[in-house]
Amino acid sequence: MASLIGAPTSRVDGRAKVTGEATYAAEFNAPGGLYGAVVTSPIARGRIERIDANLALGVEGVFDVLTHQNRPPMADADAAYADDIAPPGSPFRPFYNDRILFSGQPVALVLARDWETARFAASQVRIDYRKEPHATDLLRQRNEAFTLSGDAFAMSLAKPRGDAAQALARSPVRREGDYFIPVEHHNPMELFASTVIHEDDGKLVVHDKTQGVQNVQRYLCNVFRLKPEELRVVSPFVGGAFGLGLRPQYQVALAVLAALAVKRSVRVVLTRQQMFALSFRPATVETVALGAAVDGALQAVTHRALAMTSQYESFARNDSTWSGALYKCDNASYAHRLARLDLPTPCDMRAPGAATGVYALECAMDELAVALKLDPLELRYRAYSDLDQNEGIPFTSKALRDCYRQGAEAFGWARRNPEPRSMRDGGELIGWGMATGIWEALQMKFSVRIALSADGKAEVACATSDIGTGTYTIMSQAAAEMLGLPLENVTIKLGDSTLPQAPVEGGSWTAASVVDAIAHAADAVKSDLVELARRAPGSNFAELKPEEVSLADGRIVSKRDASLSARITDVMARTGVERIERERATEIKRDDKHARNTHSAVFAEVRVDDQLGVIRVTRVVTAIAAGRILNPKTARSQILGGVVWGIGMALHEETLIDHNFGRFMNANIAEYHMPTNADVGDIEVIFVDERDELINPFGVKGLGEIGIVGVAAAIANAVYHATGKRVRDLPITLDKLN
């Protein structure tokens, strides 16, 4: 039986998606249900003074208008609203009171027999507000920012080492700069939506767009004081999320609130504009200073991040300490400050903290290489560290040198002329830039249930989500190989709160974690099969132990004598067993002696019109070291998507705020610029062989985040090489070059 793990396998859910068979949150049938249209606040801060819903209620087909004044009871303690990844503070509570915390805040929900009626009636709701002064400009609030302790980070802030300030002052070569990354929005294809089915017995089935069904279930049960058996959350397919679906978004709370109020099924779908008020990658100012000896040895690194958060929560991610995990330097200091703004709480967006922090670090490294008159790749070789210096420990594996070598060879880096503006093709300047990428290789506890039936088919169940990353497929591959079954004999059940426990899908931890759980569950099933084979009439397996057999080609096979085998279906039939069911969890072994990371080397080519300043990314080569690759086909797709997102970060994406109104101005996909086909050139993905026997039994690391890290920096460095102009604030647009 050919190995399925590591084979380039097409998505098992692909046909369902392209034919429309896959059902998303807004598509589930809700007979007799109502449609909800959300009314949002036009002001950024203040109070609701008066709500007049009479005109809306007078529209034919309108059933009700819900606000904070007539909603069903909701829990009033902050703890009751907490979800698995809530940052410190007091989570936003839709319809909780008359306070306005940000522009776009939901203030009313119109329920009607169809969407068009609900939306029209929503425009007829009249609300008077009392405005209060607001602040939405990060740069203007930087003097009011406060320092966040390392304990408040999802990834803790590393401790300083040495005396970075003194070492920087003594360094013969220094570079320091502010790097600005604006607010960026996720804009997944699928709108955020929730369809709540109100069943005859009063129980609720909530179809929600989310990255964590059990997280949403816990949240809703806490908010509305329901028992888990009274509310089930389902999300089998997710049309993109990458962080925006980690926390429960307000539409699911409103849909459940409405279903409880009217005792009918309710569907709430947000508009694209309303989604801009959900959350976003926070704007940050990254201040990086590097000091080096004349030979390129790093002598000092300081990285201070200033980021935005809301008035009611303190959201932060680790922007500033990645240098300690990448480069050798005895003197380093890090800081992270937050400025409170009258905007929604930011959230995770692909490679949170690393995408922004590593952008600044890698641009600063390029500037240092220029000052040293040293090749940027050579500088990174000289600063290479085999230890995570933040912790003083080695990595479980680190094939970054191989990433540099293979990526540079594929790109042709050796042909690079180091002088800016030295490479040209007609009226276009050609620039080559590179950067390093890094992300954490995490594992979380997942539980998996495998049910093997007498017909030789298996069902694998876990409450985790598939947000388009290929989770259905890698789970199918892993289970099929471990159970010795054809791929088509394995069915995967995901995205249901009634299934075995799983955390939210994020942080690139799902693949490594769930495969480990599948392995343990499959071993338990194998043990049961061996026991059945041993006591089956006329068995030749009486003396064999589970560790002495394997499952392959639908058979139980002795490892000592391949001729000693039996069909799984025959064994179960002869013993009269219709079903074997076992549930097991990921076994995470605590290891404080090793750092766990994925790494990459990104090389980019840009062409810049010498007269107009128009930038095109024509080539990207990215070499990834991420342990064992479970499925090269879906893995390559993940990295391609990350690179395209990095192109958007570098050249296109920017959410603009009108600070007079405290409102996002380009809250649509016409004016929020993202790369399209014409903006994306050739992308080559190289998976570097990296054997890791320490991180987990399969040597697997995640891939969802690493694809974007370093891409924006490589492009920015290429733009400098092409033009001789250093642009430190993203996105790099033609007006910044002229």
Side-chain angles (χ1 to χ4, degrees):
M1 180 176 178
S3 177
L4 290 169
I5 296 178
T9 306
S10 295
R11 294 172 184 266
V12 298
D13 54 332
R15 181 177 179 82
K17 288 182 174 179
V18 300
T19 60
E21 180 185 340
T23 307
Y24 294 83
E27 298 176 330
F28 284 89
N29 189 29
L34 301 174
Y35 290 77
V38 179
V39 180
T40 59
S41 166
I43 70 169
R45 183 185 178 98
R47 289 188 178 275
I48 299 171
E49 290 194 325
R50 176 175 171 272
I51 299 176
D52 183 355
N54 288 326
L55 286 175
L57 290 168
V59 175
E60 184 180 356
V62 170
F63 192 86
D64 202 353
V65 177
L66 297 176
T67 70
H68 72 280
Q69 297 173 336
N70 64 343
R71 60 165 171 77
M74 301 168 70
D76 55 9
D78 285 348
Y81 284 80
D83 59 76
D84 289 355
I85 59 169
S90 180
F92 170 67
R93 313 171 187 191
F95 290 12
Y96 184 68
N97 55 27
D98 64 351
R99 289 291 311 171
I100 299 300
L101 302 173
F102 53 86
S103 179
Q105 176 179 321
V107 292
L109 181 69
V110 177
L111 300 173
R113 64 189 177 191
D114 56 60
W115 165 241
E116 291 78 9
T117 301
R119 192 171 185 183
F120 169 73
S123 70
Q124 303 301 301
V125 177
R126 302 292 181 252
I127 303 178
D128 296 330
Y129 300 90
R130 183 171 75 249
K131 295 182 182 179
E132 297 174 4
H134 64 261
T136 54
D137 191 331
L138 173 64
L139 299 181
R140 288 187 179 181
Q141 295 301 115
R142 66 190 309 168
N143 292 333
E144 306 298 323
F146 62 96
T147 300
L148 194 66
S149 68
D151 293 341
F153 281 83
M155 296 170 284
S156 61
L157 193 65
K159 296 179 180 178
R161 60 182 180 273
D163 190 331
Q166 190 175 79
L168 183 64
R170 292 177 177 175
S171 297
V173 183
R174 298 187 296 272
R175 280 296 179 270
E176 181 172 2
D178 286 349
Y179 301 86
F180 177 71
I181 301 96
V183 169
E184 298 170 357
H185 274 81
H186 303 67
N187 280 302
M189 287 190 294
E190 181 194 9
L191 298 172
F192 269 78
S194 301
T195 301
V196 179
I197 309 298
H198 192 284
E199 298 184 324
D200 293 339
D201 58 2
K203 294 181 180 180
L204 303 179
V205 178
V206 181
H207 299 279
D208 187 41
K209 176 188 172 76
T210 178
Q211 291 173 242
V213 289
Q214 291 174 333
N215 185 33
V216 172
Q217 183 196 42
R218 285 188 289 272
Y219 169 81
L220 293 173
C221 286
N222 287 338
V223 169
F224 297 107
R225 298 187 178 93
L226 298 173
K227 298 176 181 178
E229 58 269 22
E230 296 176 320
L231 185 144
R232 173 187 172 203
V233 180
V234 180
S235 183
F237 297 101
V238 181
F242 281 98
L244 190 57
L246 288 174
R247 299 185 68 183
Q249 296 295 0
Y250 74 72
Q251 93 288 333
V252 69
L254 294 186
V256 171
L257 180 148
L260 292 172
V262 300
K263 293 182 172 48
R264 291 175 63 172
S265 299
V266 173
R267 174 173 293 148
V268 177
V269 182
L270 300 186
T271 65
R272 180 67 59 177
Q273 185 176 26
Q274 288 169 347
M275 282 175 54
F276 270 71
L278 292 182
S279 208
F280 44 83
R281 193 195 297 279
T284 56
V285 179
E286 314 275 348
T287 302
V288 179
L290 302 177
V294 292
D295 64 355
L298 284 179
Q299 295 181 336
V301 175
T302 68
H303 192 150
R304 304 187 305 275
L306 169 69
M308 62 195 299
T309 190
S310 67
Q311 295 286 0
Y312 50 93
E313 290 179 304
S314 297
F315 175 87
R317 288 295 180 260
N318 176 18
D319 285 56
S320 56
T321 63
W322 298 102
S323 61
L326 279 174
Y327 301 124
K328 182 168 54 180
C329 184
D330 293 333
N331 303 283
S333 66
Y334 315 105
H336 197 104
R337 294 189 303 144
L338 291 179
R340 294 202 180 280
L341 302 178
D342 296 300
L343 290 168
T345 303
C347 76
D348 293 316
M349 186 175 185
R350 202 169 195 167
T356 47
V358 172
Y359 157 71
L361 171 67
E362 290 301 287
C363 287
M365 286 288 286
D366 195 73
E367 293 192 40
L368 183 63
V370 171
L372 290 164
K373 294 183 171 54
L374 195 63
D375 183 281
L377 181 55
E378 178 61 26
L379 174 61
R380 287 164 175 82
Y381 277 127
R382 295 186 186 186
Y384 194 93
S385 176
D386 289 312
L387 298 178
D388 176 347
Q389 292 189 104
N390 291 330
E391 301 295 334
I393 54 178
F395 298 87
T396 58
S397 61
K398 185 180 180 182
L400 180 55
R401 280 196 180 95
D402 292 332
C403 292
Y404 287 146
R405 178 180 55 80
Q406 294 183 34
E409 289 177 358
F411 189 81
W413 184 260
R415 301 193 304 272
R416 178 181 184 266
N417 186 324
E419 291 298 317
R421 300 182 66 86
S422 63
M423 299 171 65
R424 178 185 291 270
D425 182 8
E428 289 185 315
L429 300 167
I430 300 174
W432 288 4
M434 62 84 55
T436 308
I438 183 171
W439 183 251
E440 292 195 329
L442 302 170
Q443 278 188 275
M444 304 289 282
K445 185 176 180 180
F446 282 64
S447 293
V448 166
R449 182 177 65 242
I450 295 178
L452 178 67
S453 55
D455 60 359
K457 295 182 179 180
E459 178 186 274
V460 183
C462 178
T464 189
S465 300
D466 188 337
I467 59 173
T469 54
T471 304
Y472 275 108
T473 307
I474 61 167
M475 286 183 66
S476 297
Q477 291 174 263
E481 177 160 321
M482 294 169 190
L483 295 171
L485 300 176
L487 191 68
E488 58 271 20
N489 280 21
V490 175
T491 300
I492 306 296
K493 291 185 69 176
L494 299 180
D496 189 326
S497 61
T498 63
L499 299 178
Q501 294 291 309
V504 294
E505 182 171 28
S508 297
W509 57 56
T510 297
S513 304
V514 78
V515 167
D516 187 63
I518 290 172
H520 291 297
D523 280 346
V525 169
K526 184 178 77 169
S527 294
D528 287 355
L529 281 171
V530 172
E531 181 59 30
L532 291 179
R534 291 175 62 180
R535 58 186 175 87
S539 172
N540 294 322
F541 286 84
E543 302 302 322
L544 288 180
K545 300 177 181 178
E547 60 269 20
E548 296 174 329
V549 304
S550 60
L551 304 180
D553 296 318
R555 306 180 72 89
I556 306 171
V557 183
S558 168
K559 292 180 180 179
R560 292 183 297 180
D561 180 4
S563 64
L564 181 58
S565 70
R567 289 188 177 277
I568 293 173
T569 52
D570 290 345
V571 169
M572 295 183 71
R574 288 164 59 193
T575 54
V577 175
E578 293 294 324
R579 182 182 178 92
I580 297 173
E581 185 174 305
R582 287 290 179 264
E583 182 175 327
R584 293 291 186 272
T586 307
E587 291 186 6
I588 301 174
K589 296 181 180 179
R590 184 176 178 84
D591 181 3
D592 296 328
K593 297 180 179 180
H594 295 89
R596 300 164 174 243
N597 291 92
T598 54
H599 298 89
S600 67
V602 186
F603 298 83
E605 176 184 270
V606 301
R607 289 176 174 251
V608 183
D609 188 291
D610 194 16
Q611 292 184 318
L612 300 178
V614 176
I615 306 167
R616 294 188 299 127
V617 178
T618 46
R619 283 195 303 140
V620 175
V621 173
T622 180
I624 309 289
R628 185 181 186 186
I629 304 301
L630 293 169
N631 184 337
K633 189 172 186 177
T634 57
R636 179 175 180 271
S637 178
Q638 280 294 289
I639 302 303
L640 290 176
V643 171
V644 172
W645 206 330
I647 293 171
M649 182 179 177
L651 303 180
H652 302 275
E653 297 194 49
E654 179 181 20
T655 305
L656 301 171
I657 304 173
D658 185 328
H659 297 300
N660 290 323
F661 294 98
R663 184 184 309 159
F664 296 126
M665 293 190 290
N666 55 334
N668 54 71
I669 53 176
E671 296 171 301
Y672 181 89
H673 295 169
M674 292 179 284
T676 59
N677 290 19
D679 301 303
V680 180
D682 181 66
I683 301 174
E684 181 177 354
V685 179
I686 301 169
F687 289 116
V688 173
D689 184 42
E690 184 179 59
R691 303 299 173 91
D692 195 326
E693 297 178 356
L694 297 175
I695 194 160
N696 54 55
F698 296 93
V700 176
K701 300 178 179 180
L703 280 170
E705 323 283 351
I706 188 66
I708 190 176
V709 184
V711 177
I715 293 170
N717 295 336
V719 169
Y720 167 78
H721 180 236
T723 65
K725 294 184 179 180
R726 182 73 65 177
V727 180
R728 289 173 170 166
D729 59 316
L730 298 181
I732 304 173
T733 49
L734 57 87
D735 57 299
K736 296 174 183 176
L737 294 178
N738 293 316

